[in-house]
Amino acid sequence: MSIEMLTLLFFGTLLLFVFLGVPLTFVLGGVSVVFLYFTWGADAFYMVASQIWGTMESSTLVAIPLFVFMAMVLERTGVAKDLYHMMHLWWGGLRGGLAIGTLGICALFAAMCGISGAAVVAMGTIALPSMLERGYDKKLALGVINTGGGWGILIPPSILMILYSLITGVSVGQMFAAGVLPGVLLMVLTVLYIVVRCAFQPNLAPALPKEERGNMAEKMRALRAVILPILIVVMVLGSIIKGITTPTEAAAVGVLGSLLSAIVYRKLTWGLMREASLRTFKLTGMIMWILFAAHAFSAAYQSMGAQALIEGLMTSIPGGPWAIIISMMVIVFLLAMVLDPVGIMLITLPVFMPIVQSLGFDPIWFGILFVINMEIGYMTPPFGFNLFYLKGVAPPDVSMRDIYSSVIPFVLVEIVGLALIMIFPEIATYLPKALF
């Protein structure tokens, strides 16, 4: 059978089972194993086992359950509530101040947790009702929480960055360093959008009345809320950047910080530990299956020789290397509307990375573009995870239609940020080169 027919049959079978509702991880792994058997025979399974064994020996893998456990503990400590009270006092006197403060809390949560859902659930529970009660535009408030919650996979530490590193072989530490400045850029762009829009439409986000802003003594006392989160961020990222710990060891330090937070907030109970541990086991088990599927897919795809076909098609795109990169970003953006981010990584990275490297682009820079696209996918209809997280905790009068329509301007802001990082790669590559 020709390589063109094999490729068509392979991806057609994948899409068929995806649309039938079979979990993508099992579709990729199962279909890949079947195609391996019929194209190379049973001996091909040794290739998959060999690749998986190499991954399982990586100490970096240990960081995943540690960061997940850290996020599960922090989600229940009460840190978010105190942070929001502090932000309420300091930023509430500005038009759009509550929205800007909510973005700041989301960025801080992102720097602590490494996953997307924690900030969305916390701010959807605490900040959203507060903003709506004080006359904030519903779509503005929803959009702020959606976009800020997505930063959890861009601002390090990030579970998706660890998976990207395991699949592509790039340094986790360099990926973490590369995510800092793009994360700051996206936050600045989003804050500027809110400030400018509220200047022209002040009714969207009115300033709080003076009696709710608090005096200076109250504001100074409220600043205590940022001590523990900043301490955790410094413990995790500072230890990596200074070379004191590896990313895996830093994850263990982060777990220690989250447990100390639970002790300070008097939330460290056997019930919390049990629930956090069970959720960590479930997520870690899912990630292990994801890695198996990734290696099976990669082995099957390479064994068929289809990679050369895809490379030929991509390199035939008019416009040169930059047109190829833009085409990849468009493909990932469209896939993010219907598939989960990890699934997109499994499907695209084995195909895209050899092309990216052959064109001479930095895989760290490409990884940041990829992760930002995944972040946009978390907030993009119809299947963005953050949309459903927010719906689960939003007041009853907030409809799914409200949530869908709220993200449009914020997606455009994210795309502007993505374009800036494409035009100025140093935004992503400066810190990795300076620190490593």
Side-chain angles (χ1 to χ4, degrees):
M1 189 179 293
S2 69
I3 186 60
E4 291 82 1
M5 284 300 298
L6 269 176
T7 301
L8 186 62
L9 187 60
F10 186 51
F11 282 97
T13 307
L14 289 176
L15 290 174
L16 172 64
F17 283 105
V18 167
F19 286 124
L20 287 175
V22 181
L24 183 61
T25 302
F26 299 119
V27 172
L28 279 174
V31 172
S32 298
V33 166
V34 170
F35 270 77
L36 268 174
Y37 178 77
F38 283 106
T39 53
W40 282 80
D43 290 344
F45 296 153
Y46 291 111
M47 181 166 53
V48 179
S50 174
Q51 291 183 0
I52 293 172
W53 181 261
T55 300
M56 292 300 124
E57 286 187 317
S58 172
S59 61
T60 304
L61 205 58
V62 181
I64 293 176
L66 290 173
F67 278 130
V68 172
F69 183 77
M70 173 183 164
M72 296 300 104
V73 173
L74 284 172
E75 194 178 331
R76 292 161 177 78
T77 56
V79 172
K81 189 174 181 181
D82 280 2
L83 283 174
Y84 186 76
H85 176 67
M86 179 274 297
M87 176 274 297
H88 181 102
L89 294 176
W90 279 92
W91 291 91
L94 301 175
R95 288 196 189 110
L98 295 183
I100 294 170
T102 299
L103 288 173
I105 296 173
C106 287
L108 198 53
F109 249 74
M112 291 191 293
C113 292
I115 60 175
S116 177
V120 175
V121 172
M123 291 298 97
T125 304
I126 300 167
L128 180 58
S130 177
M131 285 191 279
L132 295 179
E133 286 172 10
R134 287 160 179 80
Y136 270 59
D137 178 73
K138 185 188 295 185
K139 291 181 180 179
L140 179 68
L142 292 167
V144 162
I145 295 171
N146 259 316
T147 192
W151 295 339
I153 63 171
L154 174 63
I155 300 175
S158 163
I159 301 298
L160 275 190
M161 283 186 182
I162 296 174
L163 287 174
Y164 178 89
S165 299
L166 288 169
I167 293 171
T168 62
V170 302
S171 163
V172 177
Q174 287 185 323
M175 280 298 296
F176 280 4
V180 174
L181 293 181
V184 172
L185 171 66
L186 292 182
M187 182 179 175
V188 169
L189 289 176
T190 309
V191 169
L192 285 175
Y193 164 74
I194 293 171
V195 169
V196 171
R197 190 171 177 192
C198 290
F200 287 98
Q201 297 176 288
N203 60 305
L204 292 181
L208 295 182
K210 290 186 178 180
E211 60 269 18
E212 289 193 35
R213 300 178 192 177
N215 55 43
M216 185 53 65
E218 290 175 323
K219 290 180 179 180
M220 295 306 294
R221 282 197 300 271
L223 281 177
R224 291 180 297 182
V226 303
I227 295 175
L228 274 174
I230 290 176
L231 180 62
I232 293 172
V233 172
V234 170
M235 287 169 66
V236 176
L237 297 186
S239 61
I240 296 174
I241 291 171
K242 288 294 184 180
I244 300 171
T245 65
T246 65
T248 304
E249 294 164 344
V253 173
V255 170
L256 174 62
S258 67
L259 293 175
L260 290 174
S261 295
I263 292 171
V264 170
Y265 282 90
R266 299 180 181 179
K267 295 290 181 69
L268 188 60
T269 63
W270 284 114
L272 181 145
M273 293 293 290
R274 182 178 181 276
E275 186 180 354
S277 299
L278 286 174
R279 291 183 66 183
T280 300
F281 286 142
K282 290 177 182 177
L283 283 172
T284 305
M286 180 189 72
I287 290 168
M288 293 303 103
W289 278 107
I290 285 167
L291 288 174
F292 165 74
H295 286 301
F297 177 78
S298 178
Y301 204 68
Q302 290 172 9
S303 69
M304 288 189 294
Q307 187 172 309
L309 173 67
I310 300 297
E311 286 182 18
L313 291 174
M314 295 298 293
T315 52
S316 66
I317 295 173
W322 280 103
I324 295 171
I325 294 295
I326 293 170
S327 299
M328 289 179 179
M329 291 297 103
V330 172
I331 290 169
V332 172
F333 178 81
L334 294 175
L335 287 174
M337 292 184 175
V338 294
L339 296 177
D340 66 277
V342 175
I344 297 168
M345 293 175 75
L346 300 184
I347 293 173
T348 58
L349 286 179
V351 180
F352 285 173
M353 281 311 298
I355 301 172
V356 170
Q357 291 171 329
S358 68
L359 294 174
F361 289 107
D362 189 333
I364 298 290
W365 167 77
F366 181 79
I368 295 302
L369 297 181
F370 194 94
V371 170
I372 292 174
N373 241 322
M374 296 300 93
E375 176 195 324
I376 296 172
Y378 267 100
M379 56 187 285
T380 308
F383 300 125
F385 288 168
N386 286 356
L387 305 172
F388 297 103
Y389 291 148
L390 189 53
K391 176 59 179 171
V393 296
D397 61 327
V398 174
S399 68
M400 205 67 210
R401 184 173 182 177
D402 292 330
I403 296 174
Y404 277 178
S405 59
S406 70
V407 302
I408 296 172
F410 293 93
V411 168
L412 295 176
V413 171
E414 297 269 326
I415 291 173
V416 169
L418 182 70
L420 287 174
I421 296 166
M422 291 180 72
I423 296 168
F424 304 104
E426 295 80 10
I427 297 172
T429 60
Y430 173 75
L431 280 181
K433 290 178 180 178
L435 298 173
F436 293 90

